[in-house]
Amino acid sequence: MSQFKSTSRLISFVFLAAIGLLTSPFLLAEPTTPVNNAVVPAAIEESAVLLRERALLDNLSVDIVESLTTEVGPRRIGTDGDKRVIAWAQAKFRELGFDRVWTEKVDLDRGWIRGEAHAEILSPYPHDIVLTALGYSIGTNGDLVGEIVEFKSLEDLEAVPEGDSLKGKIAFVSYSMRDYVPQPGESEMAGYGKGTGARGRGHVVAAKRGAEALIIRSVGTDNNRYAHTGSGYGYVEDTKKIPAAAISPPDAILIQNMLRRGKPVKLKINLTSEITGPASSANIIGEITGREGSDDYLVLGAHIDSWDEGTGAIDDGAGVGSMMAAAALIGQMETRPRRSIRVLLFAGEEIGFYGVRAYFAQHEGDIPQHLLGAEVDGGGGRIHTLTSGVGEKSVPVIQEMYKLIAPLGIAWSDANDAKGASDMSVLGKAGMPALNFSQNSNDYFDYHHTPNDTFDKIIPEDMRYLTAAYATMFYMAAELDIDFRQ
Amino acid sequence: MSQFKSTSRLISFVFLAAIGLLTSPFLLAEPTTPVNNAVVPAAIEESAVLLRERALLDNLSVDIVESLTTEVGPRRIGTDGDKRVIAWAQAKFRELGFDRVWTEKVDLDRGWIRGEAHAEILSPYPHDIVLTALGYSIGTNGDLVGEIVEFKSLEDLEAVPEGDSLKGKIAFVSYSMRDYVPQPGESEMAGYGKGTGARGRGHVVAAKRGAEALIIRSVGTDNNRYAHTGSGYGYVEDTKKIPAAAISPPDAILIQNMLRRGKPVKLKINLTSEITGPASSANIIGEITGREGSDDYLVLGAHIDSWDEGTGAIDDGAGVGSMMAAAALIGQMETRPRRSIRVLLFAGEEIGFYGVRAYFAQHEGDIPQHLLGAEVDGGGGRIHTLTSGVGEKSVPVIQEMYKLIAPLGIAWSDANDAKGASDMSVLGKAGMPALNFSQNSNDYFDYHHTPNDTFDKIIPEDMRYLTAAYATMFYMAAELDIDFRQ
């Protein structure tokens, strides 16, 4: 059941030979657990290999990101860009030959206007400061002036007794993700998690100590003069609402150098951010309908929203591009796979999984029909490790399928604890079998949530590798008659 | 004549051993031309080695840049920052023990207010564009809207016949320094020179073809979403004055991707820049007075001004820091060197050598007293090659001196055509003997003329190497009784 024309095979062979895969050590990489029964029929395996090799040559995923970032650009939930992307995504699914395309409403309880953000050090040395409001921060209602008090971490700020000791002050959490060294057993991304604490609830902790505003050193790995925005967890009742903003790493260092001189450092902040009323958005879904109908389906996820200062190329244009392309490439095969493949483009991930939570509320009863799921929300880098999250009996099947993507430089993890990345974890935790494709993070947190997240940061060859891995695995999973829950 | 305490020698030895210089291949690097007569007395050589090693351990150059960028920051000529830096530099010279400190007035025929810079693509897809006014551009006098016409280079724009074919249009020169591959025989910096053509006079060329404004892709090697400012060569009589701005590389790519779709791309620009009246500034000079008086002197140069969106750490804080530190370290030796060493901090380099031209006008008759000169204006990177620009009889002397800095990884060039870098070339062309210390450019043109030129971009170890090389060479030159013109 070779589904491509014979020229594809030749091209594929030449390509694999050219990139050295045929003789590369990757071909020797075997799953660490022995697989006793080959469960993938030879015809499916043959088609999967051709699909993989075609995907490695196909620029579709990159072209989709180019289209998204050029024709839409920033698309924070509730904005005009969000409206435009809902139209764009439906049109793109249709253009790519998806059989069914639809949207599902997502209610947004509150909107937000970013407005302008200006700050300057007034003394001891005048300087402009690059900062950005954290998502859903209130504005400053004119100029807010205060002396900066530095805390090395959120924990240090929390150690201050509640009360009014920070009255008139601006609390500054200077924790640096760039300088964080993961502890034994921690993932390389542990430094991000630590940074999101102050970003998410630092303003509440600071307000309980009397502070007038919170600033944090941006949560990122770069030393560019951009501030990284991101979502706060919102305000809580009975605690004063104070503005919250991130400053660029070079400005954080500048302020620390001033503080080291022992003189008071006075900062003026002006944010015109504003929380607004309810709005609505949508998840957009495209389906390659399986030849056995669309009652059961595999799901590939990404989030369609982005932050609003860049064009959302790596976060999460790369996910949108690779997931749409992986399914579209399967859709370009001669026949439809046995099972349907749905691409779920979730709204409002950036402000707290709004889209997937709406999806789950509507589809909680349908979880058994979700046969297998995965999501890309870590940029356009290559995959380094595959982890399954399936029933015990299915693990050898996934391992057998995995052999076809091992030549892409992907290792196997025995953990079998995958829940699906990002949005998809909501469905994974509810029982959907999942695969986690861990990606090389490359320079992801250099650009993440900044004006610098733009199309030129996409590395086309990496995107093709990424897309090929998903296409190959999900094609096989869609062909096989297997219940991955077992 | 060991001028340091004996502990210095031990520290130096340990340090050199630790960094591998004692056994490194650099020690084997010999000048390519044989030196027949050792002209540097052993005592001077011994002191020079100790000075070099002390400089390698001394963070003074970095501390000076930190002070400059923290306590002053941006300091474009004619601005408040310029006034502050004139005071800062005099105080810093005194603090560092310079024997004489003075300023020399520099007249500025015209000032400039940068103002605000905003731009957005109106159609076919709305996008905000990051741009910055080029130095001394006029403003747009409200919103300026025009269709973008792309030219791959200044030459392509020049190929359009003069007239009004670009009436109503915005000329866009998309030349990319990042993509420029130097031709055989060109320096690695050739791509910068090519970019400065459109930056300097593109607005005049475009105006002669009827264009309403000029935008260029920023002249830089990065793909960050910053625009690189820089100086235009000014407006010319009988040609319409049009605004000129640089856009960030990612935005240049975005516009090119839009243009590729074949639809007109409409841009709105709003610049509130303004050319103002005359002002004044100053060169600041600090002298370590030689034990034979101050009639003859060696000169170390850097420019004190910077562009106004970053804090001028690499351009030219690194030069200010390394030159002040090199002379100060010589000044910290037990006795003054035979000849004086002057550090010349020039005003207004960025807008066309204003400071050095004023200096030359005043000191044209004193050029014979300038025994040897050099300048750092290429960031804080290490030196890779030393080139002399001295009389034929002096070349072997410089080569002999050079042996003491060869262990820092510095090669020797036989060209003997150095005129001194940047400002100093004005004096070199007028007959002053000079040395050129060619630096590793590292990521210099990633940050150059952007908001991202900040202190965190300084690599302390590189700065120490840079400072050590200058201190070592100029100490020896100040001790020797040699006329480098011969």
Side-chain angles (χ1 to χ4, degrees):
Chain A
M1 198 175 85
S2 166
Q3 301 212 345
F4 291 112
K5 301 188 204 95
S6 59
T7 49
S8 296
R9 194 179 305 198
L10 178 62
I11 291 169
S12 303
F13 180 82
V14 170
F15 179 70
L16 279 181
I19 63 174
L21 284 181
L22 290 180
T23 54
S24 97
F26 292 137
L27 276 187
L28 304 175
E30 291 289 325
T32 52
T33 306
V35 176
N36 300 320
N37 49 340
V39 290
V40 183
I44 294 175
E45 204 170 286
E46 189 186 346
S47 293
V49 168
L50 291 176
L51 173 65
R52 176 192 74 198
E53 294 167 26
R54 176 175 174 161
L56 286 172
L57 290 167
D58 199 302
N59 208 48
L60 180 58
S61 58
V62 179
D63 293 342
I64 295 169
V65 185
E66 193 271 347
S67 170
L68 172 63
T69 54
T70 305
E71 296 165 19
V72 180
R75 49 195 181 278
R76 182 164 56 77
I77 187 167
T79 64
D80 287 349
D82 186 29
K83 291 183 186 67
R84 284 198 300 273
V85 84
I86 294 168
W88 173 90
Q90 294 177 79
K92 187 60 72 178
F93 274 134
R94 290 198 185 97
E95 177 192 327
L96 294 174
F98 282 69
D99 302 303
R100 296 175 61 216
V101 180
W102 69 98
T103 62
E104 296 182 356
K105 192 161 178 258
V106 175
D107 288 322
L108 186 63
D109 53 348
R110 59 202 171 124
W112 184 61
I113 296 166
R114 172 173 294 283
E116 302 278 320
H118 296 286
E120 53 185 298
I121 302 284
L122 300 177
S123 62
Y125 312 110
H127 273 270
D128 286 337
I129 294 296
V130 174
L131 92 170
T132 193
L134 291 173
Y136 287 78
S137 171
I138 59 168
T140 53
N141 196 19
D143 289 342
L144 185 159
V145 177
E147 185 187 328
I148 294 174
V149 183
E150 180 186 0
F151 300 91
K152 295 284 182 194
S153 65
L154 179 61
E155 291 69 29
D156 283 5
L157 177 57
E158 284 172 326
V160 175
E162 292 190 15
D164 62 0
S165 64
L166 295 181
K167 199 164 165 52
K169 314 284 190 191
I170 294 171
F172 166 38
V173 178
S174 60
Y175 165 81
S176 165
M177 178 184 175
R178 185 183 165 97
D179 299 334
Y180 185 76
V181 180
Q183 302 299 300
E186 282 186 340
S187 96
E188 59 190 13
M189 286 301 106
Y192 180 67
K194 280 187 81 75
T196 57
R199 193 181 74 189
R201 60 194 181 83
H203 58 290
V204 175
V205 177
K208 283 184 192 297
R209 281 124 186 109
E212 309 298 330
L214 171 82
I215 58 174
I216 63 169
R217 175 176 164 141
S218 286
V219 185
T221 46
D222 60 313
N223 67 342
N224 288 320
R225 202 152 170 221
Y226 294 112
H228 296 237
T229 189
S231 198
Y233 306 153
Y235 293 101
V236 300
E237 279 186 37
D238 303 330
T239 301
K240 188 174 63 166
K241 294 182 183 182
I242 62 170
I247 64 173
S248 81
D251 288 297
I253 291 166
L254 177 73
I255 288 172
Q256 288 177 299
N257 283 343
M258 285 192 195
L259 288 166
R260 218 192 315 280
R261 285 162 163 80
K263 298 175 191 164
V265 177
K266 244 189 180 168
L267 181 69
K268 180 170 90 180
I269 307 179
N270 193 311
L271 304 179
T272 62
S273 307
E274 205 181 315
I275 298 170
T276 57
S280 82
S281 181
N283 297 320
I284 312 111
I285 303 175
E287 181 184 272
I288 300 293
T289 306
R291 59 181 187 270
E292 294 190 350
S294 80
D295 290 344
D296 298 312
Y297 36 84
L298 301 97
V299 289
L300 291 170
H303 66 82
I304 196 68
D305 67 318
S306 73
W307 278 105
D308 45 3
E309 298 192 290
T311 61
I314 62 160
D315 187 16
D316 183 24
V320 172
S322 55
M323 298 295 85
M324 277 183 146
L329 289 169
I330 295 170
Q332 287 169 22
M333 297 172 83
E334 283 177 15
T335 59
R336 286 285 180 262
R338 182 194 298 260
R339 262 72 170 271
S340 297
I341 297 175
R342 291 185 181 177
V343 176
L344 309 181
L345 301 179
F346 294 111
E349 185 274 345
E350 293 292 2
I351 63 163
F353 289 165
Y354 269 68
V356 71
R357 288 196 279 126
Y359 180 90
F360 184 66
Q362 189 178 335
H363 294 283
E364 191 169 355
D366 310 335
I367 294 298
Q369 290 165 246
H370 292 68
L371 301 174
L372 188 69
E375 176 158 335
V376 171
D377 186 17
R382 298 187 192 195
I383 295 155
H384 61 73
T385 304
L386 178 68
T387 308
S388 62
V390 297
E392 279 305 316
K393 283 165 83 178
S394 299
V395 173
V397 185
I398 301 286
Q399 278 189 306
E400 190 66 19
M401 292 158 57
Y402 154 76
K403 285 185 182 173
L404 270 66
I405 61 165
L408 304 179
I410 300 172
W412 170 262
S413 161
D414 275 327
N416 196 36
D417 60 359
K419 297 290 178 204
S422 194
D423 308 275
M424 203 56 84
S425 65
V426 172
L427 310 185
K429 285 173 187 160
M432 178 191 71
L435 298 179
N436 281 5
F437 295 75
S438 306
Q439 290 178 263
N440 292 326
S441 61
N442 298 331
D443 39 20
Y444 185 69
F445 285 107
D446 285 0
Y447 304 126
H448 182 252
H449 296 190
T450 74
N452 211 10
D453 178 4
T454 48
F455 177 63
D456 50 290
K457 309 309 183 301
I458 294 288
I459 300 169
E461 195 185 359
D462 287 355
M463 278 290 286
R464 293 192 284 268
Y465 268 73
L466 179 64
T467 304
Y470 278 90
T472 307
M473 290 298 286
F474 274 75
Y475 164 69
M476 285 186 282
E479 276 297 341
L480 296 173
D481 188 19
I482 287 196
D483 178 0
F484 291 104
R485 279 177 179 73
Q486 302 212 334
Chain B
M1 196 175 86
S2 167
Q3 299 211 346
F4 292 111
K5 302 188 203 96
S6 59
T7 50
S8 298
R9 194 180 302 199
L10 179 62
I11 291 169
S12 304
F13 181 82
V14 170
F15 178 69
L16 280 181
I19 63 173
L21 284 180
L22 290 179
T23 55
S24 97
F26 293 136
L27 276 187
L28 305 174
E30 289 291 326
T32 52
T33 306
V35 176
N36 300 318
N37 49 340
V39 290
V40 183
I44 293 176
E45 204 170 286
E46 188 187 349
S47 292
V49 168
L50 290 177
L51 173 65
R52 176 191 75 197
E53 295 166 27
R54 176 174 173 159
L56 285 172
L57 288 169
D58 199 302
N59 208 49
L60 179 58
S61 58
V62 179
D63 293 342
I64 294 170
V65 185
E66 194 271 347
S67 170
L68 172 62
T69 55
T70 305
E71 296 164 20
V72 180
R75 49 196 181 275
R76 182 163 57 75
I77 187 168
T79 64
D80 286 348
D82 186 30
K83 291 184 185 68
R84 283 199 299 272
V85 84
I86 293 168
W88 173 91
Q90 294 177 80
K92 187 61 71 177
F93 275 133
R94 291 197 184 97
E95 177 193 326
L96 293 174
F98 282 69
D99 302 303
R100 296 176 60 217
V101 180
W102 70 98
T103 62
E104 295 181 356
K105 192 161 178 258
V106 176
D107 288 322
L108 185 63
D109 53 349
R110 55 199 176 127
W112 184 60
I113 296 167
R114 171 172 294 284
E116 301 279 319
H118 295 286
E120 52 185 298
I121 302 285
L122 300 176
S123 63
Y125 312 110
H127 273 270
D128 287 337
I129 295 295
V130 173
L131 91 171
T132 193
L134 292 174
Y136 287 78
S137 170
I138 59 168
T140 53
N141 194 18
D143 289 342
L144 185 159
V145 177
E147 186 187 327
I148 294 174
V149 183
E150 181 186 358
F151 300 91
K152 296 284 182 193
S153 65
L154 179 61
E155 292 70 29
D156 283 4
L157 176 57
E158 285 172 325
V160 175
E162 291 189 15
D164 62 1
S165 64
L166 295 181
K167 200 165 162 52
K169 314 283 191 193
I170 295 171
F172 167 38
V173 179
S174 61
Y175 165 81
S176 165
M177 178 184 175
R178 185 182 165 97
D179 299 334
Y180 185 77
V181 180
Q183 303 297 301
E186 282 187 339
S187 96
E188 59 190 12
M189 286 302 105
Y192 180 67
K194 282 189 79 75
T196 57
R199 193 181 75 189
R201 59 192 183 85
H203 59 289
V204 175
V205 178
K208 283 186 192 296
R209 278 112 186 123
E212 310 298 329
L214 170 82
I215 58 173
I216 63 168
R217 176 176 163 140
S218 286
V219 185
T221 45
D222 60 314
N223 68 343
N224 287 322
R225 203 155 170 218
Y226 294 112
H228 296 235
T229 191
S231 197
Y233 306 153
Y235 293 100
V236 300
E237 278 186 39
D238 301 330
T239 300
K240 189 174 64 167
K241 293 183 183 181
I242 63 171
I247 64 173
S248 82
D251 288 296
I253 292 167
L254 177 72
I255 288 172
Q256 288 178 299
N257 283 342
M258 283 192 195
L259 289 167
R260 219 192 314 280
R261 286 163 163 80
K263 298 174 192 165
V265 177
K266 244 187 179 167
L267 181 68
K268 181 171 90 179
I269 307 178
N270 193 311
L271 305 179
T272 62
S273 307
E274 205 181 316
I275 299 171
T276 58
S280 82
S281 182
N283 297 321
I284 313 111
I285 303 175
E287 181 184 273
I288 300 293
T289 306
R291 59 180 185 270
E292 295 191 350
S294 82
D295 290 345
D296 298 311
Y297 35 86
L298 302 98
V299 288
L300 290 169
H303 66 82
I304 196 69
D305 67 320
S306 74
W307 278 104
D308 45 3
E309 299 192 290
T311 60
I314 62 161
D315 186 15
D316 186 21
V320 173
S322 55
M323 297 295 85
M324 278 183 144
L329 288 169
I330 295 170
Q332 287 168 23
M333 296 171 83
E334 283 177 13
T335 59
R336 287 284 180 262
R338 181 193 298 260
R339 262 73 169 269
S340 296
I341 297 176
R342 290 186 180 177
V343 176
L344 309 180
L345 301 180
F346 293 112
E349 185 274 345
E350 292 293 1
I351 62 164
F353 289 165
Y354 268 67
V356 72
R357 288 196 279 127
Y359 181 90
F360 185 66
Q362 189 179 336
H363 295 283
E364 193 170 355
D366 309 335
I367 293 298
Q369 291 166 245
H370 292 68
L371 302 174
L372 188 69
E375 175 158 336
V376 171
D377 186 16
R382 298 186 192 196
I383 294 155
H384 61 75
T385 305
L386 178 68
T387 308
S388 62
V390 297
E392 280 304 316
K393 283 166 85 175
S394 299
V395 173
V397 185
I398 301 287
Q399 278 189 307
E400 191 66 18
M401 292 157 59
Y402 154 76
K403 285 185 181 174
L404 270 66
I405 62 166
L408 304 180
I410 299 172
W412 170 262
S413 161
D414 274 327
N416 195 35
D417 61 358
K419 297 291 177 205
S422 195
D423 308 274
M424 202 57 85
S425 65
V426 171
L427 310 185
K429 285 173 187 160
M432 176 190 72
L435 297 179
N436 282 5
F437 294 75
S438 306
Q439 289 179 261
N440 292 325
S441 61
N442 298 329
D443 39 18
Y444 184 69
F445 284 107
D446 286 359
Y447 304 126
H448 181 252
H449 295 190
T450 74
N452 210 11
D453 179 3
T454 48
F455 176 63
D456 50 289
K457 310 308 183 302
I458 294 289
I459 299 169
E461 195 184 0
D462 287 355
M463 279 289 287
R464 293 192 286 267
Y465 269 72
L466 180 63
T467 304
Y470 278 90
T472 307
M473 290 297 289
F474 274 74
Y475 164 70
M476 286 186 282
E479 277 297 341
L480 296 173
D481 188 19
I482 289 198
D483 178 359
F484 291 105
R485 277 177 181 72
Q486 302 212 332

